[in-house]
Amino acid sequence: MNTHPLSQLIQSIEDGQGWTDREVSRRIAAAGHKMSHSYIGKLKNHPIQSVNASMVQTLAIGLGIPETVVAEAALASMGVHIDTSRSAGLDVAIATDEALTDRDKRLLRSLVKEMRTDGEGRREESSNDDGPRVPGGPQSDGATSRRHLSAVPGSLSRDEREEMYRRAEQVDLSREPFAAADPEDDSDDDESV
């Protein structure tokens, strides 16, 4: 018997609910999907070689848990661990945004890197003294000076830094992140795992 994260997840839910593999299979069938009890047993007792969206979605229905939980357990069973830190989320969002050009992605990554580095310095500075902030850093209105952006690391040319500054000035910092997104709309869900 192979115990891996997906196996442990399935068994834990079954034990907690008093279900068997057959009961999970019945729940899946009642929702209009198909997954045999023997396949569920195979998922629990054999190494996971691959996953697909259909398997993740169907198993999540049968277990009554979010698809993301099943997907993370399945991936972990294959040795793929997901970094759920906030910085990884931002890096992934930048990398996967098809609306951004490669140049825009490079500019954003450089800006974020600088903001993270500068933010660490400001946190240390604010814990050490309550004096005025370093000129050229973020302004009281959230803007950033040109001098500050000239310190952005990486291989950005002067023109690219100027473009980054111009775009940063256009950002509405008062808007909530992702405010336009409808939390009930799941129509754009990716079908792949």
Side-chain angles (χ1 to χ4, degrees), residues 156-167:
L156 297 179
S157 69
R158 183 171 190 258
D159 290 341
E160 287 174 320
R161 283 193 304 271
E162 289 296 319
E163 174 70 9
M164 186 168 38
Y165 177 72
R166 186 186 63 73
R167 288 185 182 192

Side-chain angles (χ1 to χ4, degrees), residues 14-122:
E14 287 179 344
D15 291 348
Q17 298 294 329
W19 296 338
T20 62
D21 293 347
R22 285 187 190 277
E23 180 59 30
V24 173
S25 180
R26 282 188 206 107
R27 289 173 48 84
I28 291 168
H33 299 275
K34 289 184 180 182
M35 184 177 283
S36 69
H37 71 278
S38 60
Y39 183 73
I40 295 169
K42 181 180 173 187
L43 290 174
K44 290 182 354 186
N45 298 318
H46 297 322
I48 303 298
Q49 300 299 319
S50 66
V51 296
N52 62 45
S54 177
M55 184 276 288
V56 168
Q57 293 162 345
T58 302
L59 189 56
I61 289 167
L63 297 173
I65 59 176
E67 293 171 3
T68 54
V69 175
V70 175
E72 286 181 29
L75 290 171
S77 295
M78 296 186 306
V80 177
H81 298 281
I82 299 170
D83 182 354
T84 57
S85 70
R86 289 174 50 193
S87 64
L90 182 57
D91 293 337
V92 169
I94 292 170
T96 59
D97 189 333
E98 294 177 5
L100 297 172
T101 66
D102 288 340
R103 181 175 174 268
D104 291 341
K105 290 176 184 181
R106 192 175 72 231
L107 289 170
L108 278 171
R109 284 191 299 267
S110 294
L111 181 60
V112 168
K113 182 177 179 183
E114 172 63 16
M115 292 170 80
R116 287 177 180 153
T117 303
D118 190 50
E120 290 170 8
R122 282 196 314 270

